[in-house]
Amino acid sequence: MVIVMKAGAEQQSIDAVIAQIRELNYTPHPIQGTERTVIAAIGDERGKHELQQLESMRGVNKVVPILEPYKLSSSEIRPGERTKIQIGDVEIGGETLILMAGPCSVESREQILESAEIVKESGAQILRGGAFKPRTSPYSFQGLGEEGLQYLAEARDKTGLLIITELMDSHDLRLVEQYTDIIQIGARNMQNYGLLSRLSETKKPVMLKRGMMSEINELLLSAEYILSEGNYNVILCERGIRTFETATRNTFDLNAIPVIKKMSHLPIIADPSHGTGHWEYVNPMAKAAVAAGADGLMIEVHPDPENALSDGAQSLRPDKFRQLVKELKPFIQASGRTF
Amino acid sequence: MVIVMKAGAEQQSIDAVIAQIRELNYTPHPIQGTERTVIAAIGDERGKHELQQLESMRGVNKVVPILEPYKLSSSEIRPGERTKIQIGDVEIGGETLILMAGPCSVESREQILESAEIVKESGAQILRGGAFKPRTSPYSFQGLGEEGLQYLAEARDKTGLLIITELMDSHDLRLVEQYTDIIQIGARNMQNYGLLSRLSETKKPVMLKRGMMSEINELLLSAEYILSEGNYNVILCERGIRTFETATRNTFDLNAIPVIKKMSHLPIIADPSHGTGHWEYVNPMAKAAVAAGADGLMIEVHPDPENALSDGAQSLRPDKFRQLVKELKPFIQASGRTF
Amino acid sequence: MVIVMKAGAEQQSIDAVIAQIRELNYTPHPIQGTERTVIAAIGDERGKHELQQLESMRGVNKVVPILEPYKLSSSEIRPGERTKIQIGDVEIGGETLILMAGPCSVESREQILESAEIVKESGAQILRGGAFKPRTSPYSFQGLGEEGLQYLAEARDKTGLLIITELMDSHDLRLVEQYTDIIQIGARNMQNYGLLSRLSETKKPVMLKRGMMSEINELLLSAEYILSEGNYNVILCERGIRTFETATRNTFDLNAIPVIKKMSHLPIIADPSHGTGHWEYVNPMAKAAVAAGADGLMIEVHPDPENALSDGAQSLRPDKFRQLVKELKPFIQASGRTF
Amino acid sequence: MVIVMKAGAEQQSIDAVIAQIRELNYTPHPIQGTERTVIAAIGDERGKHELQQLESMRGVNKVVPILEPYKLSSSEIRPGERTKIQIGDVEIGGETLILMAGPCSVESREQILESAEIVKESGAQILRGGAFKPRTSPYSFQGLGEEGLQYLAEARDKTGLLIITELMDSHDLRLVEQYTDIIQIGARNMQNYGLLSRLSETKKPVMLKRGMMSEINELLLSAEYILSEGNYNVILCERGIRTFETATRNTFDLNAIPVIKKMSHLPIIADPSHGTGHWEYVNPMAKAAVAAGADGLMIEVHPDPENALSDGAQSLRPDKFRQLVKELKPFIQASGRTF
């Protein structure tokens, strides 16, 4: 942290800041510049937020953070190593590209079983499907709840696919955990800290989706909530951010893939279906995600998108999905991965 | 909803869309343009999301929403009338400007009692203070929990102020409700739909803060969750959105005040402390919020900001707070309100 | 500037960075932290951009700027003083609130003369009107050119109002300068550096509008282009930025008013017509701008908005404009200004 | 265009809107909904902006555009065909991936000749280098001007590469045109309409970079300025937009590639150097751009980035550039292109 004093700050103000830095257990290191004094505060970065308060002291111009505020999510904690998460035969974050696919919502037993067949046949390892749905409008379909979880489990039994489904409320942790292989935390809950800290109570891996207005830094800090309470099996997911551009529903931020590969050791999945919001853009952006280095993809596929109860506009029909998987293969190979 | 067909879409595709609109219980209304066909779908707007799926049909270029997706939050439901919420002697949304003030977090009994005296003396009606804190970092101060609620209640008893405090997790609803006069839902939980739908279980008024990534439309849809389950005492709060500008911590979006006044009948409070994130900007932006027509202000004041456990950089010292209230008065009067 | 080394950077890399800082004529100041080394580079901030290149050196994690990159626009150059620009009887940046009003475009002699009467009668000091129009579409009305400038001059002669009009192309500098009292540089040209540097050739004051995706820092840097070549009469103007919110055409960023008052000595005008893009929001946001401390307002008024050739949706009718000016007066007074 | 009336709008207001639509030479088509009336206005979309003014009429809630505002840039003008631009042996927009590479600025004869050798050897077809530089700060290096153009021409003569360089000011059109093979219009000038409309005076192809604040729609409208005046050789370029995320200098918006492929027939180049602003992210994002379907790449390479006069932090060293080109090849092949 660097505290920048105002030009012409009095020595008395500088001394007060130095004293306050010491009181907060940092080592002050004043530097006399040509225009003004800046004071570096040396110490463990985890207390940073407290230092920010120095902005309210007399003579302080601003407080500039230097180090990243997360620690356990950081690649510095284990240089050169990457987290790999093993679930049965499937390794997430390893050499094999992971493909998670399925409908947005579980709508019926038939729909999810039919979807599971399509997903299985493509070579994907994981079936997705929401039983609890975060919907912007209270008048939209809210999901089948436990019934949906049961259909998912049945689909797993029939196909051998792993399953991933969203947990929205900590009340449902025990219930969801009992059915799913991976717990998904949705973008709108990325900063639901009550929910995040309860995830230490499960041994199930967690896939944390980036909030649509969250910096990558904040995604890693939210991962830190889960890691710091003892659940180390965290997978990150990029699914689009909100910008001024409206040609796509969100702006799928593929830059997050190499940034996270640099900043963190955690695996990173890309979701071009939510990322773009239009089925026509899923194919090229899925390829781009693989080329950018993603450890896996999450793709929405629905047997009958125009009658889907949610997100039909961004779901692939079965034939388009098969074509995508076929076209993806040379890109997977070019990126040095297997599938 | 208007469905725009691609230029050159075949009649067969147009017919299929028309049939599908009928199946979804809307009345199709095709219009032959100079360049292409557009089809208006007439019916109650609450089913809109389902119509969006038509984007996956052959020959469809895009689906354009026409009406707002909320209903109970809309000013159209009671033209010319505004919701007023009475709590004891205090009316929110009426002629008197509401002032909510206090520290970001309840840090100790002394701190909150001292803050309450300052707030009371200024003429404010409501004391704010967080007992449960949503913190970006797991290493930051997380709040005193029930102990904090007890200190707030004691401050109320001593001063006669109403109190407002944040509810973060639906587990704590009974606990928080028992102490507070107004339940605050924080920006990060604006789309925590599990939490929102539980608010029908309380009779206490709810102040819903706009998420930093949320459109005003979405704020009104989140309010709709609470209203549609039977709790009509909803207050909205603008507290800054996230943009590319970094000179302020957030971009305090005062435009939201007149927009909400036009779109909705619900009262709207402005929070320039979170909105700007710097104490130096709180004074001018509080005045601006009053001039823009806000029904009230939420202001952070702390007896000792540089030792605050959270948000010290945006908290006013007691003397600056007193000066603000004094300087506000002519603006309150100019806006035709009392205080 | 602070250069943050990677954790575990080798001494050799640190030494190379130190040597490079010296070569660039800064004084290196290495600080050994608990986790890694950071190196402060002390020297005049105007060369900053060159230091940024150090990011490409081995072992460097990132380069963090500390000081602001502008100098002549900065309030530090003349602490406590503000620039006042005198044009005839009118002082911009002084005690009297400045009101600039008129149509978006000069459309005809009748239209601008009629507008000028309305503007004059309200007590405003300055008439606005565009003769050259930057239009997103090549098929939109592009302005009357010199004919428009002549009508503006005639309106000035008839009313005694000053006039302000936009310069879009440096080719037209001599032409525009000859008619106008203030040269306006539009938001889309805020970073047209060719145009900016030509403004040293005129003695006429320049009003520089903030680009819709420009940080306040960049606005001050663009002002620096004009100031550094010897034209000191620069007025800034906030007219809305682009964000994800679509309820208003732009997000009128009133925070820029107090931020600029703190960072710079230059006068700042607020334009709620472009800022919000809807005539219904102009009235409350004009009041809010005055309360936030703006030195003046720019307001679009048109005798017949529904037949306007540009920006009709955000223009006030004459009666609404008169009502606004009347309602503004108590807010101007509350802010300690005259009108 | 659809005009949405307010709920409860009087028949008289509806009639007035209908009359006004007719006066503007559109055909009104009123639709009586369950909640309110909407009126479709049928006609050529190029006059759209005028219809927007109807928002100022009594009883109008909002005006919603339906069709895209550009015409010559649109893929609808020549369905299934794509523009290919032939310059000597090089075809842009065809089967062969285009690689443009070189330093940000031409800094000296040696630097550009050395760069040209590196670029030539890699198999790239086009050398980039700026002689006129748009710099945020007036104190930064502004380019060598004509001297730089001469060095570029010499590099072309020595290597047989084509050259591309930026035109900033219409004053320099004749000068730049005389040396360059492709004229680049930079992001900050994407809406400098004076400059755009002068490009009809040249036969040289133009590469138009997307502004960092510009929607894809607006990029296509700016292309329309050039096309509509008779220069059909327009190449588009995605180079990053401004968002709240700061981990990358810009948010390189790869979604623009498939969106533009759908909306327009013009070739699209991707610039991951400016797009990300950090050399470490150029390699993965260049691969991703190829996978997303870009017709070519623009890459910054510099013989000595840490002494570069501009953009060193995002420039590749020669060895990293060679490695990139080598690693790109399987992705180019996977995308069905040659190189």
Side-chain angles (χ1 to χ4, degrees), chain B residues 182-241:
Chain B
I182 306 174
I183 295 172
Q184 176 177 315
I185 300 297
R188 287 177 188 75
N189 280 317
M190 194 203 89
Q191 296 193 315
N192 180 343
Y193 303 119
L195 183 57
L196 296 184
S197 39
R198 299 290 294 280
L199 294 169
S200 60
E201 299 169 21
T202 181
K203 293 273 176 258
K204 291 284 166 82
V206 174
M207 186 171 88
L208 181 64
K209 294 189 115 179
R210 180 182 181 190
M212 71 183 110
M213 58 177 178
S214 298
E215 294 175 6
I216 293 167
N217 255 0
E218 292 168 332
L219 173 61
L220 293 175
L221 271 169
S222 285
E224 193 89 358
Y225 260 92
I226 310 173
L227 296 166
S228 68
E229 307 227 0
N231 184 339
Y232 296 111
N233 294 317
V234 176
I235 304 155
L236 304 174
C237 180
E238 161 62 35
R239 48 74 75 207
I241 57 172

Side-chain angles (χ1 to χ4, degrees), chain C residues 280-295:
Chain C
E280 288 177 275
Y281 305 141
V282 171
N283 179 307
M285 295 311 284
K287 293 168 181 168
V290 168
D295 293 305

Side-chain angles (χ1 to χ4, degrees), chain A residues 6 20 23-24 46-47 49-50 52-58 60-61 69-72 133-142 168-171 187-189 191-195 198 211-215 218 221-222 224-225 228 242 277-280 305-315 317, chain B residues 6 20 23-24 46-47 49-50 52-58 60-61 69-72 133-142 168-171 188-189 191-195 198 212-215 218 221-222 224-225 228 241-243 277-280 305-315 317:
Chain A
K6 288 180 177 160
Q20 185 69 14
E23 184 139 340
L24 291 164
R46 286 179 296 177
H49 281 275
E50 278 64 51
Q52 203 72 44
Q53 329 292 20
L54 300 180
E55 272 190 13
S56 65
M57 292 188 76
R58 180 186 302 276
V60 172
N61 179 44
Y70 46 84
K71 191 161 181 169
L72 300 174
K133 298 302 305 172
R135 302 304 298 274
T136 316
S137 165
Y139 308 119
S140 297
F141 175 63
Q142 308 277 327
M168 275 179 61
D169 194 307
S170 55
H171 277 100
R188 286 177 188 74
N189 281 318
Q191 296 193 313
N192 180 342
Y193 302 118
L195 183 57
R198 299 290 294 281
M212 70 184 110
M213 206 81 173
S214 298
E215 295 175 4
E218 292 168 333
L221 271 169
S222 286
E224 194 89 359
Y225 260 92
S228 68
R242 184 164 271 187
H278 292 283
W279 68 267
E280 289 177 274
E306 67 219 44
N307 285 303
L309 296 180
S310 58
D311 282 355
Q314 72 194 32
S315 295
R317 296 170 187 284
Chain B
K6 289 181 177 158
Q20 185 69 13
E23 183 139 341
L24 291 164
R46 284 179 298 177
H49 281 276
E50 278 65 51
Q52 203 72 45
Q53 329 292 20
L54 300 180
E55 272 192 12
S56 64
M57 291 188 77
R58 180 184 303 277
V60 172
N61 179 44
Y70 46 83
K71 190 160 182 171
L72 300 175
K133 298 302 305 171
R135 302 305 298 275
T136 317
S137 164
Y139 309 119
S140 296
F141 174 64
Q142 308 278 327
M168 275 179 60
D169 194 307
S170 55
H171 277 99
R188 287 177 188 75
N189 280 317
Q191 296 193 315
N192 180 343
Y193 303 119
L195 183 57
R198 299 290 294 280
M212 71 183 110
M213 58 177 178
S214 298
E215 294 175 6
E218 292 168 332
L221 271 169
S222 285
E224 193 89 358
Y225 260 92
S228 68
I241 57 172
R242 183 164 272 187
T243 71
H278 291 283
W279 67 267
E280 288 176 275
E306 68 218 44
N307 286 301
L309 296 180
S310 59
D311 281 354
Q314 72 194 34
S315 296
R317 296 170 187 284

Side-chain angles (χ1 to χ4, degrees), chain B residues 34 45 101 109 128 139 172 205-206 208 258 271 274 279-280 311 331:
Chain B
T34 50
E45 75 273 24
R109 183 171 173 273
R128 64 152 288 152
Y139 309 119
D172 302 317
V206 174
L208 181 64
D271 174 350
H274 285 89
W279 67 267
E280 288 176 275
D311 281 354
F331 291 96

Side-chain angles (χ1 to χ4, degrees), chain C residues 20 53 55-56 135-136 139 171 188 191-192 198 213 218 224-225 242 278 307-308 312 317, chain D residues 20 53 55-56 135-136 139 171 188 191-193 198 213 218 224-225 242 278 307-308 312 317:
Chain C
Q20 184 69 14
Q53 329 292 20
E55 272 192 12
S56 65
R135 301 305 298 274
T136 316
Y139 309 119
H171 277 99
R188 286 177 187 76
Q191 297 193 313
N192 180 343
R198 300 290 294 281
M213 206 80 172
E218 292 168 331
E224 194 88 0
Y225 260 92
R242 184 163 273 187
H278 291 283
N307 285 303
R317 296 170 187 284
Chain D
Q20 185 69 14
Q53 328 291 19
E55 273 192 12
S56 66
R135 303 304 299 274
T136 318
Y139 308 120
H171 277 99
R188 285 177 189 74
Q191 297 193 313
N192 180 343
Y193 302 118
R198 298 290 294 281
M213 58 177 177
E218 292 168 332
E224 193 89 358
Y225 261 91
R242 184 163 272 185
H278 292 282
N307 286 302
R317 297 169 187 286

Side-chain angles (χ1 to χ4, degrees), chain C residues 108-170:
Chain C
S108 70
R109 184 171 172 275
E110 292 62 39
Q111 175 245 24
I112 195 68
L113 293 182
E114 188 180 345
S115 299
E117 289 304 330
I118 298 160
V119 168
K120 176 66 184 178
E121 179 201 358
S122 75
Q125 305 94 335
I126 303 174
L127 175 68
R128 65 152 288 153
F132 299 95
K133 297 303 304 173
R135 301 305 298 274
T136 316
S137 165
Y139 309 119
S140 296
F141 174 64
Q142 308 277 327
L144 293 182
E146 184 166 9
E147 188 187 343
L149 295 173
Q150 288 165 341
Y151 298 152
L152 279 171
E154 187 180 345
R156 174 178 47 198
D157 292 345
K158 292 220 157 136
T159 58
L161 290 166
L162 298 179
I163 60 180
I164 180 169
T165 197
E166 180 167 352
L167 172 68
M168 274 180 61
D169 194 305
S170 54

